[in-house]
């Protein structure tokens, strides 16, 4: 459950879209690094008293390595400018029935300027959608798209398996200039557009953002138990079904690695095999990059052979992708490993982006 701490802000550190990092001196005199979302709790300043949820930090969780500011109890933020007693400013409640539930304007609500477009939308008309089970694939997929289609309109659909606030992701903040927008779906929030489901989020990406390609992945900080089914990223299999139901083109970015020390993630991760082999009922293009080492290539081929009856296994050339990955606008990192430390992982993601760009032509 929640591990509460209280303290005083001593300094503000980094800031990016929607988030502020700060130093806090606790009541016992110790120090703690914390993160605040000003849209939820107000903007902290040195000297402010803060209440913190410190559980993830105290447990040493990597992605969640912050105490999170729950409130500035002595300096509450002002009410939103929009009236809160009507639906004119939206009524989508996200992070529902938690103490910090925000109420937002859904892209397809009656008060939305996009209501008519989405009410009339039936499908996404062949839109290529790259699905990935880790947020770390986002910049690599985007690099692959940009390698061949530098002017393509690329949107990001943020699902709710990891961080719910889009603001948590420094990666997303660094890619904003390369995306036409982010749609946060389900319980996730903080995107440029808010949607209730993956389906409405995909429709918004196509008919509001006019995306040529969509990248769909959970936010940072996925949840996993080390078992086949106990992993939040398995939901990309359900996303494949949603994409197909709307007439899109699902493209699976496979989690391929010869660097992960855990046997279950070597070759093709068991999570990819579960998501695409057991959960996805509709066919997808599963992308395998050329240029893998011989041993890894054999392992990948053997793992994907049982999936070839439902899905199309697509081999994608990788010339130029190394340069595209090294030119990424944000650092590439997965599970603490950079590009050269887990090259096959990022190459596979970039190859999926390249294939999606080809489908968008």
């Amino acid at each position: 459950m929640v591990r509460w701490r209280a303290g005083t802000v001593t300094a503000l550190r980094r800031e990016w879209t929607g988030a502020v990092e700060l130093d806090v001196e606790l009541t016992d005199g110790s120090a703690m690094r914390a993160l605040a979302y000003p849209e939820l709790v107000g903007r902290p300043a040195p000297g402010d008293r803060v209440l913190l949820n410190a559980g993830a930090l105290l447990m040493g969780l990597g992605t969640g390595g912050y105490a999170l500011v729950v409130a500035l109890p002595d300096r509450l933020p002002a009410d939103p400018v929009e009236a809160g007693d009507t639906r004119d400013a939206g009524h989508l409640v996200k992070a529902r029935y938690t103490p910090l539930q925000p109420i937002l304007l859904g892209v397809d609500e009656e008060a939305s300027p996009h209501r008519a477009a989405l009410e009339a939308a039936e499908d996404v008309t062949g839109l290529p959608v790259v699905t990935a089970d880790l947020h770390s694939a986002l910049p690599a997929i985007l690099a692959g798209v940009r390698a061949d289609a530098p002017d393509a309109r690329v949107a990001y659909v943020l699902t709710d398996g990891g961080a719910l606030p889009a603001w948590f992701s420094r990666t997303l903040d660094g890619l904003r200039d390369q995306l036409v927008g982010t749609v946060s779906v389900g319980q996730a929030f903080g995107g440029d557009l808010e949607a209730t489901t993956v389906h409405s989020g995909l429709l918004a990406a196509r008919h509001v953002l006019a995306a040529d390609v969509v990248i769909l992945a959970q936010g940072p900080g996925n949840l996993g138990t080390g078992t086949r089914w106990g992993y939040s990223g398995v939901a990309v299999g359900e996303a494949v079904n949603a994409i197909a139901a709307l007439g899109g083109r699902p493209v699976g970015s496979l989690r391929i690695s010869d660097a992960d020390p855990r046997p279950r993630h070597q070759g093709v991760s068991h999570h990819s095999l579960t998501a695409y082999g057991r959960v996805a009922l509709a066919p997808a293009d599963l992308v395998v990059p050329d240029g893998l080492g011989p041993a890894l290539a054999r392992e990948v081929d053997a793992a994907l052979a049982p999936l070839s009856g439902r899905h199309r296994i697509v081999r994608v050339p990788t010339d130029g992708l190394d340069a595209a990955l090294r030119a990424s606008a944000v650092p590439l990192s997965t599970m603490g490993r950079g590009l050269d430390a887990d090259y096959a992982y990022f190459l596979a993601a970039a190859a999926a982006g390249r294939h999606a760009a080809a489908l968008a032509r």
Side-chain angles (χ1 to χ4, degrees):
M1 297 300 287
V2 175
R3 299 173 75 176
W4 289 89
R5 297 294 186 272
T8 302
V9 177
T10 57
L12 303 184
R13 298 171 65 87
R14 294 178 295 180
E15 182 170 351
W16 57 94
T17 303
V20 179
E21 190 180 75
L22 48 139
D23 291 331
V24 175
E25 181 179 346
L26 302 184
T27 53
D28 64 3
S30 63
M32 190 166 276
R33 185 178 65 159
L35 193 70
Y37 301 122
E39 289 289 329
L40 293 183
V41 300
R43 177 169 295 277
D48 280 340
R49 190 165 65 95
V50 290
L51 302 180
L52 305 175
N53 179 340
L57 178 60
L58 294 173
M59 289 182 66
L61 299 180
T63 304
Y66 290 102
L68 295 173
V69 175
V70 179
L72 281 62
D74 301 325
R75 194 164 61 84
L76 297 178
D79 287 346
V81 175
E82 303 87 354
D85 54 353
T86 73
R87 295 191 176 193
D88 292 345
H91 80 292
L92 259 64
V93 181
K94 297 203 174 185
R96 288 186 283 278
Y97 303 104
T98 64
L100 292 178
Q101 60 181 18
I103 301 176
L104 307 157
L105 178 63
V107 66
D108 55 354
E109 284 193 75
E110 293 87 344
S112 169
H114 311 298
R115 165 73 173 207
L118 289 183
E119 194 170 28
E122 294 289 339
D123 56 42
V124 295
T125 58
L127 177 68
V129 182
V130 185
T131 57
D133 68 352
L134 287 177
H135 189 69
S136 58
L138 171 61
I141 295 168
L142 184 59
V145 175
R146 293 278 177 246
D148 294 350
D151 297 324
R153 295 178 62 83
V154 183
Y156 173 45
V157 171
L158 168 67
T159 61
D160 56 12
L164 297 184
W167 311 313
F168 184 80
S169 175
R170 293 196 299 274
T171 293
L172 181 56
D173 182 60
L175 295 176
R176 286 184 181 277
D177 291 343
Q178 297 191 35
L179 297 167
V180 295
T182 294
V183 188
S184 37
V185 305
Q187 299 283 353
F189 58 91
D192 301 291
L193 299 173
E194 302 289 348
T196 306
T197 65
V198 169
H199 301 77
S200 56
L202 291 169
L203 290 167
R206 183 57 151 180
H207 297 285
V208 176
L209 298 177
D212 301 314
V213 174
V214 167
I215 303 170
L216 182 150
Q218 61 182 337
N222 63 90
L223 179 62
T225 62
T227 62
R228 174 179 295 177
W229 295 102
Y231 171 58
S232 55
V234 167
V236 297
E238 300 286 4
V240 167
N241 300 333
I243 297 160
L246 293 174
R249 292 288 303 272
V251 176
S253 175
L254 296 170
R255 188 170 167 185
I256 295 174
S257 178
D258 56 2
D260 198 303
R262 298 165 294 181
R264 65 183 184 274
H265 295 306
Q266 293 172 6
V268 182
S269 168
H270 72 135
H271 291 321
S272 287
L273 297 176
T274 299
Y276 298 114
R278 301 288 299 278
V279 180
L281 303 179
D285 290 355
L286 303 184
V287 176
V288 178
D290 288 341
L292 297 177
L296 178 58
R298 288 192 296 271
E299 192 172 359
V300 168
D301 288 345
L304 294 179
L307 279 63
S308 61
R310 177 181 307 157
H311 302 293
R312 179 176 172 232
I313 311 301
V314 181
R315 309 282 171 176
V316 172
T318 56
D319 52 297
L321 291 184
D322 180 78
L325 287 167
R326 295 188 188 281
S328 172
V330 298
L332 300 176
S333 179
T334 185
M335 304 296 174
R337 298 184 296 273
L339 174 59
D340 291 319
D342 205 343
Y343 192 76
Y345 169 79
F346 294 107
L347 188 65
R354 165 168 279 176
H355 180 60
L359 294 176
R361 290 176 189 153

